Amino acid sequence: MKKELKRTKKAIEELLKVLGDTEENLDDLDQAITKTHEKVAKLEEEVMALVTKMQRLERKIHKKLNKIAKVKRLILKADTDRKLKMYEKDYDRLVEELQALEKEYKKLHKKYEELVLKEEKALEKEMALEEEAARISEEQYHAIAAVQEAMGRLSGKLNRY
């Protein structure tokens, strides 16, 4: 009987050690998940701010395109050389401004794509950490059930004596 009690006690102690280890692992994972979640939230804010900038630039680009179209019509209707040169000068200036806006938009779009990739990687990492935490929680649940079962057997054996 003493051997069996010692084996049961040893098994319970091992299971309690496993429970302690899983609890530490869960705490570490929770901290990592929290950090990753904060990183994802920060990246989402950056992406949204970038999208807003890009939308503003798109509106400016459309305005420039409309002005260019208007100036083109005025060039076609120009009745003097002086007006024609003035409209062509305006046209050239507007095209340069449009090119600068498009260049800035391309930079923002590239940065946007990079941020989205970072965000996706961070989300994947967060999901992997959450899956690991779920797996450890399940192990912990099974360890608790095993401890309860072993303690039940032990108390049953003690009651018999």
Side-chain angles (χ1 to χ4, degrees):
M1 178 64 187
K2 283 187 176 186
K3 285 183 181 179
E4 199 170 319
L5 287 174
K6 285 183 182 180
R7 277 197 334 250
T8 307
K9 180 182 176 187
K10 184 177 179 184
I12 290 172
E13 288 172 353
E14 288 176 7
L15 288 171
L16 289 173
K17 183 179 183 283
V18 168
L19 283 176
D21 292 345
T22 57
E23 193 64 38
E24 289 176 19
N25 288 344
L26 278 176
D27 290 341
D28 292 344
L29 282 174
D30 284 340
Q31 289 175 354
I33 289 170
T34 302
K35 286 180 184 177
T36 307
H37 185 70
E38 290 170 356
K39 182 179 179 181
V40 167
K42 182 182 174 190
L43 286 171
E44 284 176 352
E45 288 177 13
E46 289 179 32
V47 166
M48 294 308 295
L50 206 55
V51 166
T52 303
K53 286 181 184 178
M54 289 172 62
Q55 288 173 340
R56 287 182 190 143
L57 264 177
E58 286 174 356
R59 285 192 292 272
K60 286 181 182 180
I61 289 172
H62 286 290
K63 285 180 182 179
K64 289 291 179 199
L65 288 171
N66 289 336
K67 286 181 182 178
I68 288 173
K70 183 179 177 182
V71 170
K72 280 183 179 179
R73 285 192 302 270
L74 290 173
I75 289 174
L76 293 174
K77 293 180 183 179
D79 51 359
T80 64
D81 284 342
R82 184 173 172 228
K83 283 185 178 179
L84 183 63
K85 287 180 183 178
M86 182 181 72
Y87 292 144
E88 286 176 345
K89 188 176 179 181
D90 285 347
Y91 176 81
D92 292 340
R93 180 184 51 82
L94 289 170
V95 168
E96 285 178 20
E97 290 174 2
L98 178 66
Q99 289 172 346
L101 288 173
E102 287 176 340
K103 185 178 178 181
E104 186 179 348
Y105 183 83
K106 286 179 183 177
K107 285 181 185 177
L108 288 176
H109 193 270
K110 184 177 178 182
K111 187 175 179 181
Y112 168 79
E113 288 176 346
E114 291 170 359
L115 283 175
V116 168
L117 282 175
K118 283 183 183 179
E119 182 183 11
E120 287 175 2
K121 287 179 183 177
L123 281 171
E124 288 174 4
K125 181 180 177 181
E126 182 181 12
M127 289 186 337
L129 289 171
E130 287 176 350
E131 288 174 5
E132 180 69 14
R135 185 188 62 76
I136 289 174
S137 291
E138 187 174 337
E139 285 178 11
Q140 187 179 31
Y141 172 77
H142 291 296
I144 289 172
V147 167
Q148 289 174 342
E149 183 181 326
M151 291 176 82
R153 283 192 311 242
L154 181 61
S155 69
K157 288 175 185 176
L158 289 175
N159 288 339
R160 280 189 240 151
Y161 293 104

